[in-house]
Amino acid sequence: MSTVFVHGLGYVGLPTAAMFANYGHDVTGYDTDDAVVECLRGGGLHIEEPGLRAFVTQALESGKLTVAHEVDEAKYHVIAVPTPYDRGAGVPDLQYVRAAADAIAPHLRTGDTVVLESTVPPTTTVDVLRPVLERSGLSAGTDFALVYCPETVLPGNIITELKRNDRIVGGVNGVSTEAAVRLYESFVEGEIYTAADATTAEVVKLTQNTFRDVNIALANELALVSRDYGVDSRRVRELANVHPRVDVHHPGPGVGGHCLPVDPWFLGYDSDSLRLVPVARAVNDGMSDHVVELLEAELGSLAGRRIALLGVAYKRGVGDTRRSPALAVAAALRDAVEEERAAPTDGGAGSSGGGIDVRLHDPHVDDESLGLVDFDRAVADADAAVVVTGHEAFTDLDPERVRDAMAGSSVVDTRAVLSVPDWEAAGFTVRRI
Ligand code: SAJ
């Protein structure tokens, strides 16, 4: 078994490092954040993901996985660092990819393989990674293998998908591709497909997430159209999907996470051909305003209202709040009240009514900076509750208990996880997207 060095111990890097270790490789995991290294060394875990604690513990206790503050030599270097996108500036931030390459270059030896797994704009492997690594004096494709092999794991099901999903491998040449295939074969149970080159594999990855984002936009738009015709969008979806070649996705309060809202922009980074994709992004981003409209339809003015937002994670069963629809809904609610106050009233000036009290609650999220409150505080005397994330804890809520705690009787269920008959029987008005 080979030595594998994993750069970046986040949602992808940490399970990947543990996977290689649990399949017999000698693995070193490295993170530039000392707190992450110390946390793991102390037996902690900085990520909420089902099954990950036991999986990482197994790797550490077997001695096959160690966690390091320093980069070192290894037969394989796997890069799984973040690639944020600055939408304002319209540029992908590749500083962590460059830093990983910088750190690897002095330790690169003839015969090594460098694999990039992070999601990146097309041509990053050859235009950004390759020149930095070649500062070692070695040439990609001849002296060392250089490959793009995108991760495809779904947060909430990472360990299973890491093992079972098919993989795409695209190297700068055939020798590179083969080197990476040999590495991933050691644990991947799915097919390993080879792409003609690294750029093809990069475009494939972005295509997968863009496909999903655009399809969710279609589901969201169909939900709005269904409402205009007074028909139940969920039933429309179910019946449309009986067709063997139709698979309408689920509408919701928007698209969050670190992948779907970002990757479509990566796809168009150096292409002038994107037309549909930006529109789909705008449809998905606009869903937070639609949630506000549903609340206004129930409550009229939002000024001075107390609103419980249930669910701050970007999707069910995870604790990740990156680009979460809940944060967009909270901001849209505050904006709506600002607009109300600025709008001229009969007397001429804007209204002086109160602001809005938005209470955020999520049993999966542990982030003090968000000012989360417990469930009882979120719903106490609330005028309305909005289910933004479809966590199981909300599906299991007792509507009578919630009714007794709240002042109002309005619920917006953006994920369609509540039993409408039960909530209506308890006296609630339930609105869905
Ligand atoms: N969502 C909807 N309606 C749907 C499906 C999802 O509104 O029908 C929303 C979710 O609630 C969430 C967002 O979309 O806010 C994204 O969730 P997701 O489960 O679709 O995807 P991610 O971001 O957790 O993971 C995606 C996956 N990509 C695909 O399914 C094509 C995963 O396989 C990738 O590995 C991951 O991105 C990544 O890291 O790129």
Side-chain angles (χ1 to χ4, degrees):
M1 284 294 171
S2 306
T3 53
V4 182
F5 204 101
V6 178
H7 300 254
L9 296 176
Y11 284 90
V12 173
L14 180 59
T16 301
M19 185 66 80
F20 281 126
N22 289 340
Y23 274 78
H25 297 278
D26 290 311
V27 184
T28 308
Y30 165 77
D31 203 289
T32 50
D33 184 345
D34 288 341
V36 167
V37 173
E38 286 314 319
C39 170
L40 290 167
R41 283 182 171 177
L45 195 67
H46 57 294
I47 292 167
E48 190 195 299
E49 170 63 29
L52 187 59
R53 181 173 293 277
F55 199 64
V56 170
T57 303
Q58 181 191 339
L60 289 168
E61 285 181 354
S62 68
K64 285 287 183 185
L65 173 63
T66 50
V67 185
H69 284 288
E70 310 268 311
V71 177
D72 207 344
E73 287 182 18
K75 178 116 183 60
Y76 289 94
H77 289 272
V78 176
I79 304 174
V81 295
T83 48
Y85 179 71
D86 182 340
R87 189 161 172 211
V91 287
D93 179 354
L94 297 176
Q95 63 165 308
Y96 303 106
V97 174
R98 281 198 192 89
D102 258 332
I104 292 168
H107 302 283
L108 204 54
R109 301 285 172 265
T110 302
D112 291 351
T113 298
V114 179
V115 182
L116 178 62
E117 287 206 10
S118 310
T119 305
V120 291
T123 74
T124 298
T125 304
V126 285
D127 287 346
V128 177
L129 195 54
R130 178 180 195 151
V132 181
L133 291 170
E134 289 189 339
R135 283 189 210 143
S136 61
L138 301 177
S139 294
T142 45
D143 299 323
F144 68 97
L146 178 59
V147 186
Y148 185 67
C149 176
E151 60 86 11
T152 60
V153 289
L154 193 73
N157 197 27
I158 290 178
I159 296 169
T160 307
E161 292 212 351
L162 203 49
K163 218 182 311 184
R164 301 219 179 124
N165 284 2
D166 297 338
R167 298 294 290 240
I168 312 292
V169 176
V172 296
N173 61 358
V175 177
S176 293
T177 305
E178 283 313 310
V181 169
R182 279 196 298 279
L183 174 66
Y184 286 92
E185 266 175 358
S186 62
F187 74 82
V188 169
E189 291 172 9
E191 289 290 321
I192 301 180
Y193 294 93
T194 57
D197 49 40
T199 307
T200 303
E202 290 166 342
V203 175
V204 168
K205 165 68 190 184
L206 298 174
T207 299
Q208 290 169 337
N209 280 353
T210 303
F211 170 89
R212 196 152 166 87
D213 193 47
V214 170
N215 275 282
I216 296 168
L218 176 64
N220 283 330
E221 189 154 286
L222 291 173
L224 302 184
V225 168
S226 299
R227 180 205 51 186
D228 291 343
Y229 288 107
V231 296
D232 177 355
S233 68
R234 308 271 157 184
R235 189 65 182 142
V236 168
R237 176 181 172 273
E238 271 168 23
L239 293 177
N241 285 351
V242 304
H243 188 288
R245 284 175 295 284
V246 173
D247 180 18
V248 178
H249 287 42
H250 294 277
V255 169
H258 57 301
C259 308
L260 268 54
V262 171
D263 295 1
W265 299 121
F266 280 9
L267 189 62
Y269 177 59
D270 206 13
S271 161
D272 295 328
S273 302
L274 285 201
R275 290 163 60 201
L276 170 68
V277 167
V279 176
R281 283 273 71 249
V283 169
N284 288 337
D285 284 347
M287 292 310 286
S288 48
D289 288 330
H290 179 59
V291 175
V292 173
E293 283 165 23
L294 292 175
L295 274 173
E296 285 172 334
E298 275 297 304
L299 302 175
S301 167
L302 294 176
R305 298 293 192 176
R306 290 176 291 265
I307 311 291
L309 291 193
L310 305 179
V312 185
Y314 80 94
K315 67 175 188 177
R316 138 192 211 112
V318 302
D320 188 344
T321 61
R322 285 176 291 176
R323 296 179 191 257
S324 172
L327 302 175
V329 169
L333 284 169
R334 294 191 182 104
D335 288 350
V337 170
E338 279 303 309
E339 272 172 38
E340 263 187 46
R341 293 166 83 181
T345 58
D346 287 347
S351 123
S352 59
I356 185 166
D357 179 5
V358 180
R359 292 102 171 252
L360 298 170
H361 167 72
D362 194 307
H364 291 266
V365 176
D366 179 16
D367 181 347
E368 282 175 15
S369 69
L370 294 173
L372 303 188
V373 296
D374 64 24
F375 182 79
D376 291 334
R377 272 195 63 201
V379 293
D381 294 325
D383 296 296
V386 185
V387 176
V388 194
T389 312
H391 292 319
E392 223 169 282
F394 304 142
T395 312
D396 296 342
L397 282 174
D398 172 5
E400 287 175 8
R401 182 184 149 218
V402 183
R403 179 201 58 206
D404 293 345
M406 282 176 55
S409 55
S410 304
V411 171
V412 176
D413 177 12
T414 70
R415 301 286 188 173
V417 292
L418 305 181
S419 158
V420 177
D422 290 354
W423 284 72
E424 285 181 346
F428 280 98
T429 310
V430 183
R431 286 184 187 255
R432 289 176 159 188
I433 286 174

mmCIF file of all heavy atoms in Angstrom, residues 12 119 151-155 161 165 205 208-209 212 216 219-220 249-261 263 314-316 325 415, ligand 1:
data_model
loop_
_atom_site.group_PDB
_atom_site.id
_atom_site.type_symbol
_atom_site.label_atom_id
_atom_site.label_comp_id
_atom_site.label_asym_id
_atom_site.label_seq_id
_atom_site.Cartn_x
_atom_site.Cartn_y
_atom_site.Cartn_z
ATOM 1 N N VAL A 12 -14.679 16.879 2.561
ATOM 2 C CA VAL A 12 -14.247 15.879 1.594
ATOM 3 C C VAL A 12 -12.917 15.266 2.018
ATOM 4 O O VAL A 12 -12.754 14.044 2.039
ATOM 5 C CB VAL A 12 -14.142 16.504 0.183
ATOM 6 C CG1 VAL A 12 -13.542 15.524 -0.807
ATOM 7 C CG2 VAL A 12 -15.518 16.969 -0.273
ATOM 8 N N THR A 119 -13.474 21.333 -6.364
ATOM 9 C CA THR A 119 -14.218 21.807 -7.529
ATOM 10 C C THR A 119 -13.589 23.115 -8.007
ATOM 11 O O THR A 119 -13.419 24.043 -7.211
ATOM 12 C CB THR A 119 -15.689 22.030 -7.149
ATOM 13 O OG1 THR A 119 -16.178 20.817 -6.585
ATOM 14 C CG2 THR A 119 -16.511 22.398 -8.361
ATOM 15 N N GLU A 151 -14.460 15.081 -6.461
ATOM 16 C CA GLU A 151 -15.286 14.403 -5.452
ATOM 17 C C GLU A 151 -16.743 14.575 -5.858
ATOM 18 O O GLU A 151 -17.096 15.570 -6.489
ATOM 19 C CB GLU A 151 -15.035 14.987 -4.062
ATOM 20 C CG GLU A 151 -15.341 16.482 -3.918
ATOM 21 C CD GLU A 151 -16.796 16.783 -3.601
ATOM 22 O OE1 GLU A 151 -17.538 15.848 -3.282
ATOM 23 O OE2 GLU A 151 -17.184 17.959 -3.696
ATOM 24 N N THR A 152 -17.592 13.603 -5.486
ATOM 25 C CA THR A 152 -19.014 13.713 -5.844
ATOM 26 C C THR A 152 -19.909 13.363 -4.662
ATOM 27 O O THR A 152 -21.081 13.043 -4.830
ATOM 28 C CB THR A 152 -19.371 12.766 -7.016
ATOM 29 O OG1 THR A 152 -19.083 11.426 -6.591
ATOM 30 C CG2 THR A 152 -18.596 13.086 -8.266
ATOM 31 N N VAL A 153 -19.355 13.413 -3.448
ATOM 32 C CA VAL A 153 -20.114 12.902 -2.296
ATOM 33 C C VAL A 153 -21.184 13.883 -1.826
ATOM 34 O O VAL A 153 -20.988 15.086 -1.823
ATOM 35 C CB VAL A 153 -19.189 12.563 -1.107
ATOM 36 C CG1 VAL A 153 -18.385 11.321 -1.432
ATOM 37 C CG2 VAL A 153 -18.266 13.734 -0.760
ATOM 38 N N LEU A 154 -22.310 13.317 -1.413
ATOM 39 C CA LEU A 154 -23.440 14.120 -0.954
ATOM 40 C C LEU A 154 -23.349 14.292 0.560
ATOM 41 O O LEU A 154 -23.389 13.299 1.300
ATOM 42 C CB LEU A 154 -24.741 13.399 -1.303
ATOM 43 C CG LEU A 154 -26.005 14.237 -1.172
ATOM 44 C CD1 LEU A 154 -26.081 15.259 -2.305
ATOM 45 C CD2 LEU A 154 -27.239 13.356 -1.209
ATOM 46 N N PRO A 155 -23.210 15.543 1.042
ATOM 47 C CA PRO A 155 -23.212 15.734 2.491
ATOM 48 C C PRO A 155 -24.431 15.061 3.118
ATOM 49 O O PRO A 155 -25.553 15.158 2.602
ATOM 50 C CB PRO A 155 -23.264 17.267 2.627
ATOM 51 C CG PRO A 155 -22.567 17.762 1.401
ATOM 52 C CD PRO A 155 -22.984 16.801 0.316
ATOM 53 N N GLU A 161 -21.239 7.233 -0.125
ATOM 54 C CA GLU A 161 -21.047 7.690 -1.516
ATOM 55 C C GLU A 161 -19.575 7.688 -1.922
ATOM 56 O O GLU A 161 -19.254 7.449 -3.081
ATOM 57 C CB GLU A 161 -21.665 9.082 -1.707
ATOM 58 C CG GLU A 161 -23.179 9.041 -1.613
ATOM 59 C CD GLU A 161 -23.874 10.076 -2.487
ATOM 60 O OE1 GLU A 161 -23.207 10.948 -3.050
ATOM 61 O OE2 GLU A 161 -25.119 9.989 -2.585
ATOM 62 N N ASN A 165 -19.912 5.644 -5.166
ATOM 63 C CA ASN A 165 -20.110 6.445 -6.383
ATOM 64 C C ASN A 165 -19.083 6.098 -7.456
ATOM 65 O O ASN A 165 -17.954 5.721 -7.156
ATOM 66 C CB ASN A 165 -19.963 7.940 -6.079
ATOM 67 C CG ASN A 165 -21.181 8.505 -5.358
ATOM 68 O OD1 ASN A 165 -22.111 7.776 -5.051
ATOM 69 N ND2 ASN A 165 -21.157 9.789 -5.078
ATOM 70 N N LYS A 205 -17.523 17.631 -13.764
ATOM 71 C CA LYS A 205 -17.931 17.916 -12.375
ATOM 72 C C LYS A 205 -18.893 19.106 -12.324
ATOM 73 O O LYS A 205 -19.939 19.064 -11.671
ATOM 74 C CB LYS A 205 -16.681 18.206 -11.525
ATOM 75 C CG LYS A 205 -16.950 18.847 -10.187
ATOM 76 C CD LYS A 205 -17.655 17.908 -9.234
ATOM 77 C CE LYS A 205 -18.119 18.640 -7.996
ATOM 78 N NZ LYS A 205 -18.726 17.764 -7.018
ATOM 79 N N GLN A 208 -22.382 18.334 -13.598
ATOM 80 C CA GLN A 208 -23.259 17.582 -12.679
ATOM 81 C C GLN A 208 -23.976 18.524 -11.710
ATOM 82 O O GLN A 208 -25.195 18.449 -11.523
ATOM 83 C CB GLN A 208 -22.432 16.547 -11.911
ATOM 84 C CG GLN A 208 -21.952 15.417 -12.811
ATOM 85 C CD GLN A 208 -20.910 14.517 -12.159
ATOM 86 O OE1 GLN A 208 -20.206 14.913 -11.227
ATOM 87 N NE2 GLN A 208 -20.800 13.297 -12.658
ATOM 88 N N ASN A 209 -23.255 19.440 -11.101
ATOM 89 C CA ASN A 209 -23.897 20.333 -10.130
ATOM 90 C C ASN A 209 -24.772 21.385 -10.812
ATOM 91 O O ASN A 209 -25.806 21.787 -10.281
ATOM 92 C CB ASN A 209 -22.843 20.986 -9.233
ATOM 93 C CG ASN A 209 -22.415 20.029 -8.128
ATOM 94 O OD1 ASN A 209 -22.999 18.953 -7.964
ATOM 95 N ND2 ASN A 209 -21.391 20.395 -7.375
ATOM 96 N N ARG A 212 -28.125 19.907 -11.612
ATOM 97 C CA ARG A 212 -29.021 19.861 -10.450
ATOM 98 C C ARG A 212 -29.577 21.256 -10.129
ATOM 99 O O ARG A 212 -30.754 21.419 -9.866
ATOM 100 C CB ARG A 212 -28.250 19.298 -9.253
ATOM 101 C CG ARG A 212 -29.138 18.847 -8.115
ATOM 102 C CD ARG A 212 -28.445 17.749 -7.351
ATOM 103 N NE ARG A 212 -29.074 17.496 -6.067
ATOM 104 C CZ ARG A 212 -30.089 16.659 -5.892
ATOM 105 N NH1 ARG A 212 -30.602 16.023 -6.923
ATOM 106 N NH2 ARG A 212 -30.595 16.454 -4.692
ATOM 107 N N ILE A 216 -33.496 22.283 -10.216
ATOM 108 C CA ILE A 216 -34.204 22.799 -9.036
ATOM 109 C C ILE A 216 -34.877 24.124 -9.401
ATOM 110 O O ILE A 216 -36.002 24.395 -8.975
ATOM 111 C CB ILE A 216 -33.245 22.962 -7.836
ATOM 112 C CG1 ILE A 216 -32.687 21.606 -7.407
ATOM 113 C CG2 ILE A 216 -33.966 23.619 -6.653
ATOM 114 C CD1 ILE A 216 -31.516 21.671 -6.437
ATOM 115 N N ALA A 219 -38.033 23.311 -11.026
ATOM 116 C CA ALA A 219 -39.031 22.879 -10.029
ATOM 117 C C ALA A 219 -39.599 24.098 -9.304
ATOM 118 O O ALA A 219 -40.815 24.186 -9.055
ATOM 119 C CB ALA A 219 -38.388 21.915 -9.032
ATOM 120 N N ASN A 220 -38.736 25.053 -8.975
ATOM 121 C CA ASN A 220 -39.205 26.254 -8.287
ATOM 122 C C ASN A 220 -40.136 27.066 -9.186
ATOM 123 O O ASN A 220 -41.186 27.543 -8.751
ATOM 124 C CB ASN A 220 -38.006 27.109 -7.843
ATOM 125 C CG ASN A 220 -37.330 26.532 -6.603
ATOM 126 O OD1 ASN A 220 -37.979 25.892 -5.779
ATOM 127 N ND2 ASN A 220 -36.030 26.752 -6.475
ATOM 128 N N HIS A 249 -37.443 18.005 -9.974
ATOM 129 C CA HIS A 249 -36.862 18.060 -8.636
ATOM 130 C C HIS A 249 -37.848 18.693 -7.649
ATOM 131 O O HIS A 249 -38.971 19.028 -8.018
ATOM 132 C CB HIS A 249 -35.554 18.856 -8.676
ATOM 133 C CG HIS A 249 -34.424 18.107 -9.333
ATOM 134 N ND1 HIS A 249 -34.576 17.365 -10.474
ATOM 135 C CD2 HIS A 249 -33.121 18.000 -9.002
ATOM 136 C CE1 HIS A 249 -33.418 16.825 -10.809
ATOM 137 N NE2 HIS A 249 -32.513 17.194 -9.932
ATOM 138 N N HIS A 250 -37.381 18.904 -6.401
ATOM 139 C CA HIS A 250 -38.254 19.472 -5.366
ATOM 140 C C HIS A 250 -38.115 20.984 -5.302
ATOM 141 O O HIS A 250 -36.998 21.494 -5.219
ATOM 142 C CB HIS A 250 -37.884 18.915 -3.991
ATOM 143 C CG HIS A 250 -38.149 17.455 -3.859
ATOM 144 N ND1 HIS A 250 -39.387 16.951 -3.540
ATOM 145 C CD2 HIS A 250 -37.339 16.384 -4.024
ATOM 146 C CE1 HIS A 250 -39.326 15.635 -3.506
ATOM 147 N NE2 HIS A 250 -38.095 15.260 -3.801
ATOM 148 N N PRO A 251 -39.238 21.703 -5.268
ATOM 149 C CA PRO A 251 -39.139 23.147 -5.033
ATOM 150 C C PRO A 251 -38.763 23.395 -3.576
ATOM 151 O O PRO A 251 -38.902 22.512 -2.736
ATOM 152 C CB PRO A 251 -40.553 23.649 -5.328
ATOM 153 C CG PRO A 251 -41.443 22.483 -5.063
ATOM 154 C CD PRO A 251 -40.623 21.247 -5.367
ATOM 155 N N GLY A 252 -38.289 24.577 -3.280
ATOM 156 C CA GLY A 252 -37.896 24.881 -1.904
ATOM 157 C C GLY A 252 -37.600 26.359 -1.737
ATOM 158 O O GLY A 252 -37.852 27.160 -2.645
ATOM 159 N N PRO A 253 -37.027 26.727 -0.582
ATOM 160 C CA PRO A 253 -36.801 28.145 -0.284
ATOM 161 C C PRO A 253 -35.543 28.716 -0.928
ATOM 162 O O PRO A 253 -35.163 29.844 -0.645
ATOM 163 C CB PRO A 253 -36.643 28.119 1.242
ATOM 164 C CG PRO A 253 -36.022 26.789 1.517
ATOM 165 C CD PRO A 253 -36.616 25.837 0.512
ATOM 166 N N GLY A 254 -34.893 27.923 -1.775
ATOM 167 C CA GLY A 254 -33.649 28.374 -2.396
ATOM 168 C C GLY A 254 -32.643 27.249 -2.349
ATOM 169 O O GLY A 254 -32.917 26.185 -1.808
ATOM 170 N N VAL A 255 -31.495 27.472 -2.942
ATOM 171 C CA VAL A 255 -30.469 26.434 -3.036
ATOM 172 C C VAL A 255 -29.237 26.889 -2.260
ATOM 173 O O VAL A 255 -28.692 27.946 -2.525
ATOM 174 C CB VAL A 255 -30.129 26.176 -4.520
ATOM 175 C CG1 VAL A 255 -28.897 25.310 -4.646
ATOM 176 C CG2 VAL A 255 -31.315 25.522 -5.210
ATOM 177 N N GLY A 256 -28.845 26.079 -1.281
ATOM 178 C CA GLY A 256 -27.693 26.457 -0.457
ATOM 179 C C GLY A 256 -26.556 25.474 -0.583
ATOM 180 O O GLY A 256 -26.525 24.625 -1.479
ATOM 181 N N GLY A 257 -25.605 25.591 0.360
ATOM 182 C CA GLY A 257 -24.437 24.728 0.342
ATOM 183 C C GLY A 257 -23.285 25.408 -0.387
ATOM 184 O O GLY A 257 -23.439 26.502 -0.927
ATOM 185 N N HIS A 258 -22.173 24.714 -0.429
ATOM 186 C CA HIS A 258 -20.990 25.324 -1.025
ATOM 187 C C HIS A 258 -20.813 24.906 -2.473
ATOM 188 O O HIS A 258 -19.823 25.267 -3.096
ATOM 189 C CB HIS A 258 -19.755 24.937 -0.204
ATOM 190 C CG HIS A 258 -19.576 23.449 -0.090
ATOM 191 N ND1 HIS A 258 -20.543 22.639 0.473
ATOM 192 C CD2 HIS A 258 -18.581 22.638 -0.490
ATOM 193 C CE1 HIS A 258 -20.127 21.384 0.416
ATOM 194 N NE2 HIS A 258 -18.956 21.356 -0.159
ATOM 195 N N CYS A 259 -21.772 24.135 -3.025
ATOM 196 C CA CYS A 259 -21.557 23.592 -4.372
ATOM 197 C C CYS A 259 -22.532 24.159 -5.399
ATOM 198 O O CYS A 259 -22.136 24.852 -6.326
ATOM 199 C CB CYS A 259 -21.687 22.079 -4.334
ATOM 200 S SG CYS A 259 -20.663 21.324 -3.068
ATOM 201 N N LEU A 260 -23.811 23.836 -5.231
ATOM 202 C CA LEU A 260 -24.777 24.182 -6.277
ATOM 203 C C LEU A 260 -24.889 25.681 -6.548
ATOM 204 O O LEU A 260 -25.029 26.091 -7.697
ATOM 205 C CB LEU A 260 -26.153 23.591 -5.953
ATOM 206 C CG LEU A 260 -26.409 22.208 -6.538
ATOM 207 C CD1 LEU A 260 -25.343 21.202 -6.174
ATOM 208 C CD2 LEU A 260 -27.773 21.696 -6.141
ATOM 209 N N PRO A 261 -24.846 26.551 -5.525
ATOM 210 C CA PRO A 261 -24.971 27.977 -5.844
ATOM 211 C C PRO A 261 -23.706 28.575 -6.464
ATOM 212 O O PRO A 261 -23.726 29.693 -6.937
ATOM 213 C CB PRO A 261 -25.229 28.634 -4.472
ATOM 214 C CG PRO A 261 -25.483 27.531 -3.516
ATOM 215 C CD PRO A 261 -24.836 26.308 -4.079
ATOM 216 N N ASP A 263 -21.013 26.442 -8.348
ATOM 217 C CA ASP A 263 -20.411 25.754 -9.496
ATOM 218 C C ASP A 263 -20.913 26.252 -10.855
ATOM 219 O O ASP A 263 -20.127 26.293 -11.818
ATOM 220 C CB ASP A 263 -20.604 24.236 -9.364
ATOM 221 C CG ASP A 263 -19.837 23.691 -8.163
ATOM 222 O OD1 ASP A 263 -19.188 24.488 -7.458
ATOM 223 O OD2 ASP A 263 -19.888 22.473 -7.921
ATOM 224 N N TYR A 314 -28.282 24.250 5.393
ATOM 225 C CA TYR A 314 -28.739 24.431 4.006
ATOM 226 C C TYR A 314 -29.613 23.294 3.512
ATOM 227 O O TYR A 314 -30.322 23.441 2.518
ATOM 228 C CB TYR A 314 -27.553 24.681 3.062
ATOM 229 C CG TYR A 314 -26.774 23.467 2.626
ATOM 230 C CD1 TYR A 314 -27.078 22.813 1.429
ATOM 231 C CD2 TYR A 314 -25.730 22.974 3.389
ATOM 232 C CE1 TYR A 314 -26.360 21.713 1.009
ATOM 233 C CE2 TYR A 314 -25.007 21.863 2.983
ATOM 234 C CZ TYR A 314 -25.331 21.240 1.794
ATOM 235 O OH TYR A 314 -24.613 20.132 1.385
ATOM 236 N N LYS A 315 -29.569 22.149 4.232
ATOM 237 C CA LYS A 315 -30.489 21.076 3.861
ATOM 238 C C LYS A 315 -30.661 20.124 5.040
ATOM 239 O O LYS A 315 -29.928 20.205 6.034
ATOM 240 C CB LYS A 315 -30.016 20.327 2.619
ATOM 241 C CG LYS A 315 -28.748 19.524 2.820
ATOM 242 C CD LYS A 315 -28.463 18.729 1.566
ATOM 243 C CE LYS A 315 -27.330 17.769 1.783
ATOM 244 N NZ LYS A 315 -27.075 16.950 0.612
ATOM 245 N N ARG A 316 -31.580 19.241 4.892
ATOM 246 C CA ARG A 316 -31.979 18.334 5.973
ATOM 247 C C ARG A 316 -30.806 17.480 6.483
ATOM 248 O O ARG A 316 -29.982 17.009 5.708
ATOM 249 C CB ARG A 316 -33.129 17.497 5.406
ATOM 250 C CG ARG A 316 -33.152 16.086 5.694
ATOM 251 C CD ARG A 316 -34.158 15.346 4.846
ATOM 252 N NE ARG A 316 -34.607 14.236 5.654
ATOM 253 C CZ ARG A 316 -35.825 14.125 6.133
ATOM 254 N NH1 ARG A 316 -36.745 14.995 5.839
ATOM 255 N NH2 ARG A 316 -36.147 13.113 6.901
ATOM 256 N N PRO A 325 -30.384 28.836 2.562
ATOM 257 C CA PRO A 325 -31.589 29.610 2.270
ATOM 258 C C PRO A 325 -32.144 30.313 3.508
ATOM 259 O O PRO A 325 -32.728 31.388 3.391
ATOM 260 C CB PRO A 325 -32.572 28.548 1.758
ATOM 261 C CG PRO A 325 -31.716 27.466 1.210
ATOM 262 C CD PRO A 325 -30.472 27.452 2.063
ATOM 263 N N ARG A 415 -40.601 23.136 2.877
ATOM 264 C CA ARG A 415 -40.055 21.838 2.455
ATOM 265 C C ARG A 415 -41.117 20.751 2.395
ATOM 266 O O ARG A 415 -40.788 19.572 2.191
ATOM 267 C CB ARG A 415 -38.956 21.397 3.428
ATOM 268 C CG ARG A 415 -37.799 22.355 3.540
ATOM 269 C CD ARG A 415 -36.906 22.320 2.321
ATOM 270 N NE ARG A 415 -35.707 23.104 2.554
ATOM 271 C CZ ARG A 415 -34.684 23.146 1.701
ATOM 272 N NH1 ARG A 415 -34.722 22.477 0.573
ATOM 273 N NH2 ARG A 415 -33.632 23.890 1.955
HETATM 274 N N1 SAJ B 1 -32.484 21.197 -3.159
HETATM 275 C C1 SAJ B 1 -33.746 21.615 -3.556
HETATM 276 N N2 SAJ B 1 -34.506 20.750 -4.314
HETATM 277 C C2 SAJ B 1 -34.049 19.519 -4.678
HETATM 278 C C3 SAJ B 1 -32.763 19.098 -4.261
HETATM 279 C C4 SAJ B 1 -31.994 19.967 -3.507
HETATM 280 O O1 SAJ B 1 -34.186 22.729 -3.251
HETATM 281 O O2 SAJ B 1 -34.803 18.794 -5.353
HETATM 282 C C5 SAJ B 1 -31.631 22.123 -2.391
HETATM 283 C C6 SAJ B 1 -31.190 21.576 -1.028
HETATM 284 O O3 SAJ B 1 -32.175 21.764 -0.058
HETATM 285 C C7 SAJ B 1 -29.925 22.369 -0.778
HETATM 286 C C8 SAJ B 1 -29.337 22.517 -2.192
HETATM 287 O O4 SAJ B 1 -30.407 22.268 -3.079
HETATM 288 O O5 SAJ B 1 -30.208 23.657 -0.255
HETATM 289 C C9 SAJ B 1 -28.172 21.594 -2.488
HETATM 290 O O6 SAJ B 1 -28.425 20.292 -1.961
HETATM 291 P P1 SAJ B 1 -28.106 18.948 -2.744
HETATM 292 O O7 SAJ B 1 -28.463 17.827 -1.850
HETATM 293 O O8 SAJ B 1 -28.704 18.963 -4.093
HETATM 294 O O9 SAJ B 1 -26.527 19.010 -3.029
HETATM 295 P P2 SAJ B 1 -25.218 19.284 -2.130
HETATM 296 O O10 SAJ B 1 -24.780 20.688 -2.396
HETATM 297 O O11 SAJ B 1 -25.374 18.865 -0.721
HETATM 298 O O12 SAJ B 1 -24.204 18.277 -2.851
HETATM 299 C C10 SAJ B 1 -23.987 18.403 -4.263
HETATM 300 C C11 SAJ B 1 -24.134 16.998 -4.893
HETATM 301 N N3 SAJ B 1 -24.193 17.122 -6.353
HETATM 302 C C12 SAJ B 1 -25.156 16.496 -7.073
HETATM 303 O O13 SAJ B 1 -26.044 15.853 -6.582
HETATM 304 C C13 SAJ B 1 -25.046 16.645 -8.564
HETATM 305 C C14 SAJ B 1 -22.985 16.122 -4.456
HETATM 306 O O14 SAJ B 1 -23.043 14.877 -5.136
HETATM 307 C C15 SAJ B 1 -21.644 16.815 -4.753
HETATM 308 O O15 SAJ B 1 -20.546 16.023 -4.358
HETATM 309 C C16 SAJ B 1 -21.616 18.103 -3.969
HETATM 310 O O16 SAJ B 1 -22.691 18.927 -4.466
HETATM 311 C C17 SAJ B 1 -20.282 18.765 -4.181
HETATM 312 O O17 SAJ B 1 -19.455 18.733 -3.268
HETATM 313 O O18 SAJ B 1 -20.017 19.254 -5.304
#
